[in-house]
Amino acid sequence: RRLACPPLRAARLSDGSMVVQGMRYSGLEHAIHKLLVWESAAGLALLGLLAVGSLTAARRRLSPLETMVETASAIAEGDLSRRIATARHGSSEVRQLSTALNAMLQQIETALTESERATAQLRHFLADASHELRTPLASVQGYLQLYEKGMLDADDKERALHRVSAEATRMSRLFDEL
């Protein structure tokens, strides 16, 4: 903006005359305008650099969290052996979090492995118990079928009854052991 009146200075000389001195503002206004343009451009450039630097730093600090998300997704898909890599760029809190999650994942994997082993043992035990109980049960059923069809004489009936009783005792002992 141009000033309406340039600054003037007046002085009275000893002979009574006056001397008036003035200065133009156009050069000063141009210099101030140039300075404002340069300061604005420098300020915008610095703001841009600050924004890029902040984004880069934030991405670098958050990259361990992205790794944690990828690892968690892989674990959710069934890869229980995956672990979170130690954060190189993250904060100490992120490193602590990755260490704690890795410990938790190890415990979960160990518990799941132990559970699978226990389930396999239980299946094996049930298969053995089933086999052990089937034998005396088949014997009892066989003797009872012979008895029902009248295929046993008096002596055989006595032996069959004794055998059924022995097998029933054997099954009872197996149940007690279970």
Side-chain angles (χ1 to χ4, degrees), residues 35-153:
L35 181 64
L36 285 175
V37 168
W38 276 102
E39 284 181 355
S40 298
L44 286 175
L46 287 175
L47 279 176
L49 284 174
L50 181 63
V52 168
S54 296
L55 271 172
T56 303
R59 283 183 194 243
R60 188 173 182 167
R61 292 283 212 163
L62 293 177
S63 67
L65 296 178
E66 290 174 4
T67 303
M68 288 181 196
V69 169
E70 290 171 8
T71 303
S73 297
I75 291 169
E77 291 172 4
D79 185 4
L80 297 178
S81 64
R82 287 278 300 264
R83 295 295 177 266
I84 299 168
T86 304
R88 291 173 290 171
H89 306 296
S91 63
S92 63
E93 291 86 359
V94 171
R95 282 192 292 278
Q96 289 173 349
L97 178 62
S98 66
T99 301
L101 287 175
N102 281 336
M104 181 188 70
L105 290 170
Q106 183 61 46
Q107 289 177 347
I108 289 171
E109 184 180 18
T110 301
L112 189 58
T113 302
E114 184 64 28
S115 174
E116 289 172 351
R117 188 185 64 73
T119 301
Q121 282 181 333
L122 181 62
R123 282 189 184 133
H124 183 71
F125 169 76
L126 289 175
D128 287 349
S130 173
H131 176 72
E132 287 294 320
L133 289 172
R134 247 187 235 120
T135 303
L137 185 60
S139 180
V140 167
Q141 286 176 333
Y143 282 117
L144 288 175
Q145 284 175 357
L146 287 174
Y147 180 78
E148 286 174 351
K149 293 184 180 182
M151 299 176 72
L152 299 174
D153 59 17

